[in-house]
Amino acid sequence: MENANKLQIVYPDEENGASHPHCPHGPTLLFQTSNQLADKPKSAYYACAAHRDKRMCSFQLLAEELTPQKLSRRYELESHIKSCKEQREKLLAVHDDAGLHYCLHCNIPLLRDEHRKHTGHEMVWNLTAELLCDPTRFLRPLDDDKSQAQYFFDDKALKFFAKCFQDLVVNKVVCMGAPRLHAFLRNNYAEIQSFLLDFDHRMFFFYDDDNFAWYNMCNNHFFDTKQHLNFEKFLKCKSKDNLLIFTDPPFGCRTEPIAGTLRQLTCTFNKLNKLPHQPLPIFWIFPYFSEHYIQQEMPHMRMCDYKVNYTNHSAYTDVGEKSRKLGSPVRVFTNVPLELLHLPVEEEYKYCALCQRYTALENRHCARCSNCPSKNGSTYRHCELCGLCVKPNYKHCTNCRRCTQTEEHECQMYQANQHCWICLQKGHTEWMCVEWQKHRKDVVKRSDKIITCLLCKRKGHNERNCTRRSKYLEELTFMGVTTVIFK
Ligand code: SAH
Ligand code: ZN
Ligand code: ZN
Ligand code: ZN
Ligand code: ZN
């Protein structure tokens, strides 16, 4: 079974009684592999929500070793927070441009002659007001840990996001893990308020408590009470306000905790504003190949074709030798209807009148699939034997009933990773589907020119896209897992 040894993540939900022990980075996540045979969690343990690298946070506790005492333990960060805020005070006290420096080695702002203690360290001399307005333009991007790598948006992406907010009449943006977007909005759009939630403590130096909170987005943890209260004030809205949550998590992050946090923030928003359950618009920046993981957590999220470029990533950009041929793989996932997002035609996007939304220029509409099918930045072609559009370099394997890469294709291994279009389970393709074999009433003849749907026996589409699917199967979705039952 697919889920037998999969690492499942349980998100802490303190308000509803699911409390987890804390590490210095807030409530931990519970990791468990469910053992199908014993039908109970095996080797469940609590570990840091933010860091997967033990060197960054060594906290780990077997679930069975949890005691009330360990559960109530909290970590003291007051003095660290206080000293960060003092650096901010120091920086605010400087009135003229000259004389304020920044040590990139120690990550600390320096006044006039304080730099003497930092000989040999890399410095930014004489910080200008302009630099102070956007620290991401001179700070060294964090890259010390997979879970914390910092990549900053290029100017085109920043403008695109701001234009989207204007089109959607959004006037409040929560920038969760998006410090450059936060600065961009503050510096250029007086009508849009922004609040930064970020794990990077250096932001303390550049932002006051009324628009920044030191925060962990993997467990919705605020490190400072005052910042937390200010954030709740920010969430409180008047009827004309439109608030959007924007997040660009490190791509090493698992989707479950991010989704858990987005749900909790939405919940807090509704509570504070005394609203019945109402979804908040979300922009979640993530690579196209993670679509499945996002939709498993948040089925209503759709992928927009806009390719997001970064200035300090050699491949996820549209400039330089190492940039990918198909462009950046990073996209916007959103619950905002895609029809409402206007992609810039001057950056190789077009309006598809049939889909009634903007798509990438190379994304050719398929009349058979009735959509613009490309995900990865290439032009897909329709395969009659798959009944769907596929990547241009793929070849059809009749044995697997799929188009795949030709290199190193090994049918058995390939099928083990496929999801069956009938029962939706992983591990086999349709001809091998035991459920289907049990229920099929008559034999379907294989054609070598065009696919025959094993459910309705009509030609030209696969079982997943069969419009009569519900006549044969009933689908029940519970907690992100879909079960298929034959009627
Ligand atoms: N493209 C964005 C930056 C994305 S980099 C921009 O240009 O604005 C990812 C950001 O998430 C970094 O700023 C990093 O400090 C932050 N981050 C990483 N882990 C985090 C966590 N657990 N909680 C909150 N923020 C985190
Ligand atoms: Zn930790
Ligand atoms: Zn095919
Ligand atoms: Zn097609
Ligand atoms: Zn094959």
Side-chain angles (χ1 to χ4, degrees):
M1 281 292 279
E2 180 198 349
N3 290 327
N5 290 310
K6 215 171 91 182
L7 198 57
Q8 289 181 328
I9 294 184
V10 182
Y11 186 83
D13 185 0
E14 300 199 327
E15 272 176 47
N16 295 308
S19 31
H20 293 183
H22 284 221
C23 78
H25 310 96
T28 53
L29 302 177
L30 176 62
F31 294 84
Q32 57 187 29
T33 48
S34 45
N35 183 332
Q36 213 73 46
L37 290 172
D39 199 29
K40 64 177 176 201
K42 194 181 83 178
S43 62
Y45 63 92
Y46 296 100
C48 181
H51 297 291
R52 285 206 280 159
D53 186 338
K54 294 256 160 24
R55 284 166 300 182
M56 305 295 289
C57 179
S58 61
F59 186 95
Q60 190 148 34
L61 181 70
L62 280 177
E64 60 207 39
E65 287 171 8
L66 183 65
T67 59
Q69 200 185 11
K70 286 179 184 162
L71 188 61
S72 56
R73 162 135 205 234
R74 293 294 177 269
Y75 294 77
E76 192 53 72
L77 292 170
E78 289 294 305
S79 60
H80 175 62
I81 292 173
K82 194 162 158 260
S83 84
C84 286
K85 288 190 179 179
E86 277 165 11
Q87 297 299 330
R88 167 94 188 131
E89 295 301 318
K90 188 167 94 181
L91 197 143
L92 284 176
V94 184
H95 291 297
D96 50 280
D97 278 0
L100 183 64
H101 320 299
Y102 190 87
C103 176
L104 292 169
H105 181 78
C106 305
N107 268 312
I108 195 166
L110 303 172
L111 276 185
R112 291 183 187 82
D113 40 11
E114 280 178 328
H115 63 82
R116 290 183 211 290
K117 287 183 222 141
H118 299 258
T119 16
H121 294 177
E122 199 180 333
M123 290 278 204
V124 186
W125 297 105
N126 298 318
L127 285 176
T128 58
E130 203 181 332
L131 282 180
L132 284 171
C133 284
D134 184 356
T136 68
R137 305 280 167 175
F138 69 90
L139 290 177
R140 268 207 208 130
L142 298 176
D143 61 354
D144 39 25
D145 170 19
K146 265 193 271 59
S147 57
Q148 266 222 70
Q150 265 175 336
Y151 294 110
F152 298 124
F153 296 129
D154 76 353
D155 288 336
K156 282 185 293 200
L158 292 168
K159 282 190 193 124
F160 167 65
F161 297 139
K163 174 77 170 41
C164 287
F165 303 155
Q166 287 178 321
D167 290 345
L168 298 169
V169 212
V170 161
N171 66 331
K172 281 184 166 192
V173 180
V174 176
C175 290
M176 186 166 106
R180 180 169 284 181
L181 177 66
H182 177 65
F184 184 73
L185 293 175
R186 276 173 68 82
N187 297 336
N188 299 291
Y189 298 85
E191 73 282 14
I192 302 180
Q193 292 177 56
S194 174
F195 200 106
L196 174 63
L197 302 176
D198 206 284
F199 201 53
D200 183 350
H201 77 273
R202 297 175 301 180
M203 297 302 150
F204 268 114
F205 311 151
F206 309 101
Y207 298 112
D208 291 319
D209 290 345
D210 65 352
N211 68 95
F212 164 68
W214 194 31
Y215 175 78
N216 186 350
M217 67 162 106
C218 298
N219 53 11
N220 189 27
H221 181 67
F222 289 80
F223 295 95
D224 180 64
T225 322
K226 182 158 171 236
Q227 291 177 337
H228 190 182
L229 288 174
N230 278 329
F231 178 67
E232 292 198 334
K233 249 187 237 160
F234 182 81
L235 285 187
K236 278 225 177 99
C237 285
K238 304 211 173 65
S239 60
K240 63 175 193 340
D241 288 339
N242 286 315
L243 184 138
L244 179 141
I245 306 184
F246 183 103
T247 185
D248 186 8
F251 303 145
C253 270
R254 293 264 302 220
T255 50
E256 298 94 324
I258 308 290
T261 291
L262 291 170
R263 276 192 285 271
Q264 284 205 342
L265 287 177
T266 305
C267 196
T268 310
F269 172 85
N270 285 319
K271 231 183 250 170
L272 288 170
N273 291 294
K274 303 198 173 63
L275 291 165
H277 190 78
Q278 176 185 312
L280 278 174
I282 293 169
F283 276 27
W284 177 345
I285 313 302
F286 231 45
Y288 74 81
F289 42 79
S290 299
E291 182 181 29
H292 175 70
Y293 295 101
I294 292 192
Q295 288 181 345
Q296 225 170 11
E297 294 300 313
M298 304 187 118
H300 43 281
M301 296 290 265
R302 292 285 169 273
M303 191 177 96
C304 161
D305 270 6
Y306 188 81
K307 300 184 188 94
V308 179
N309 291 312
Y310 297 99
T311 52
N312 59 324
H313 195 296
S314 58
Y316 294 5
T317 165
D318 56 352
V319 290
E321 263 170 43
K322 287 193 187 153
S323 68
R324 297 164 91 248
K325 215 170 61 234
L326 300 178
S328 166
V330 183
R331 304 284 185 273
V332 183
F333 291 86
T334 182
N335 53 0
V336 171
L338 295 181
E339 302 89 271
L340 301 180
L341 305 182
H342 304 270
L343 311 197
V345 282
E346 63 281 9
E347 287 173 44
E348 311 209 314
Y349 299 96
K350 62 165 196 295
Y351 184 74
C352 174
L354 295 162
C355 292
Q356 299 195 334
R357 65 178 177 93
Y358 281 84
T359 57
L361 205 55
E362 75 281 348
N363 196 353
R364 208 164 48 210
H365 188 90
C366 172
R368 308 291 303 274
C369 296
S370 319
N371 64 20
C372 286
S374 172
K375 305 275 185 193
N376 74 346
S378 65
T379 304
Y380 286 18
R381 64 177 174 82
H382 192 85
C383 169
E384 293 293 0
L385 282 166
C386 287
L388 51 82
C389 278
V390 297
K391 290 180 186 167
N393 54 333
Y394 277 17
K395 292 266 174 318
H396 194 84
C397 172
T398 43
N399 195 12
C400 294
R401 211 171 173 248
R402 298 280 190 283
C403 275
T404 83
Q405 272 169 331
T406 45
E407 255 174 71
E408 291 178 26
H409 177 75
E410 210 271 294
C411 297
Q412 218 178 349
M413 258 197 351
Y414 177 78
Q415 288 178 20
N417 280 311
Q418 287 301 301
H419 286 264
C420 171
W421 286 337
I422 298 173
C423 73
L424 308 180
Q425 292 295 317
K426 193 175 172 180
H428 62 267
T429 50
E430 300 71 35
W431 288 110
M432 306 293 177
C433 180
V434 179
E435 283 306 305
W436 175 70
Q437 283 170 1
K438 265 196 263 170
H439 291 87
R440 67 175 172 178
K441 309 234 161 47
D442 39 12
V443 185
V444 181
K445 261 210 264 150
R446 293 196 199 202
S447 149
D448 53 6
K449 291 209 179 61
I450 188 163
I451 190 170
T452 309
C453 172
L454 299 185
L455 295 174
C456 73
K457 324 267 178 327
R458 288 178 174 82
K459 290 192 190 319
H461 64 264
N462 65 46
E463 298 75 25
R464 203 181 52 179
N465 298 332
C466 179
T467 51
R468 298 173 194 81
R469 189 174 165 85
S470 61
K471 213 180 118 188
Y472 304 94
L473 305 168
E474 189 180 351
E475 287 179 29
L476 299 167
T477 304
F478 182 65
M479 298 184 79
V481 180
T482 304
T483 318
V484 174
I485 302 163
F486 273 79
K487 287 189 176 167

